[in-house]
Amino acid sequence: YDVSDPSLFPFDFGGMEAAVELNGGANVTLGAGGTTSIFILSLPTNHVTLRNLILLNGNAMRNPARGGAILVVAGWLDLSHCLFEGNLAAEGGALAMLGGSMAAADTTFAHSAASGRGGAAWLKHGQARFTTCTFEHCRAEQTGGALAVIGSATFDVSHSTFVHCEAIHGVGAAIDYQPSEAVELEPRIDNAKFYDNSGLSTVSAAAYVNWICS
């Protein structure tokens, strides 16, 4: 499979049962040219690892409307030392989750935008962990300038930085947590840093979040 060919975007890992690892090495760029999203994980058997990649100018404003660069419907996504730059969607400018699990480490989400919620990421179901990540210049027209978490999704954010993120017409300039279903794990924010974010609040939560600051 040639996942670097933009004519194949959005590339659906679909029926792949073997684990897949894509390592960009010397900063390989996967650019969608602002016309389509880049990757979809659609089945529970999908286990995708992305390392040292730049995911550039994905666009899911129309179809699938969620996850400008990546949409996780099911399966497992592992991100390490990646850069999401200039991605757009209705929900989740760079990343959206409808299920499954994902972990991001040492990854930057920059200049991503959503016409709805979640300028960088929109999480509805599943579990997401962000460790030593940076969210910068992300914006949402509604809520969650960087992260919008709804449904039964749960999240863990640790040692990450939110800077110049904006919820233009709503709450949660950095993070908006509005669960509408029971969650399996308690969400947590640990040693996060917030600078110059703009919205009706920096972090908004309609349910308990274990927030540890030092």
Side-chain angles (χ1 to χ4, degrees):
Y1 301 93
D2 183 3
V3 299
S4 65
D5 182 356
S7 69
L8 299 178
F9 294 162
F11 186 90
D12 190 343
F13 289 94
M16 289 184 175
E17 295 187 3
V20 175
E21 178 172 337
L22 304 178
N23 193 326
N27 292 324
V28 169
T29 297
L30 300 179
T35 60
T36 180
S37 57
I38 299 175
F39 292 137
I40 298 175
L41 282 68
S42 57
L43 295 176
T45 53
N46 295 154
H47 189 150
V48 178
T49 299
L50 305 179
R51 302 188 189 281
N52 304 300
L53 288 172
I54 299 172
L55 292 95
L56 180 68
N57 294 336
N59 188 328
M61 291 296 290
R62 292 189 297 273
N63 184 27
R66 293 163 177 161
I70 301 177
L71 172 62
V72 181
V73 178
W76 172 266
L77 175 65
D78 184 13
L79 304 170
S80 178
H81 294 91
C82 290
L83 168 63
F84 290 78
E85 175 78 29
N87 297 286
L88 305 172
E91 309 277 7
L95 171 72
M97 284 188 63
L98 293 173
S101 300
M102 63 85 58
D106 302 300
T107 290
T108 296
F109 299 85
H111 300 98
S112 294
S115 61
R117 297 167 292 181
W122 177 84
L123 315 173
K124 185 174 184 180
H125 300 295
Q127 301 173 11
R129 183 170 71 251
F130 300 92
T131 306
T132 56
C133 289
T134 299
F135 300 84
E136 59 185 19
H137 294 283
C138 297
R139 74 177 193 277
E141 288 288 335
Q142 297 178 15
T143 62
L147 301 179
V149 185
I150 66 170
S152 64
T154 189
F155 66 97
D156 185 311
V157 174
S158 63
H159 298 88
S160 295
T161 300
F162 298 79
V163 57
H164 294 301
C165 294
E166 182 179 11
I168 298 174
H169 299 297
V171 296
I175 301 172
D176 181 41
Y177 177 50
Q178 304 288 338
S180 59
E181 304 172 36
V183 298
E184 294 184 5
L185 297 175
E186 183 179 279
R188 186 174 71 121
I189 302 172
D190 182 10
N191 287 289
K193 298 178 181 179
F194 304 90
Y195 301 106
D196 299 321
N197 299 289
S198 177
L200 297 179
S201 59
T202 299
V203 176
S204 176
Y208 177 76
V209 176
N210 183 12
W211 190 347
I212 304 171
C213 296
S214 65

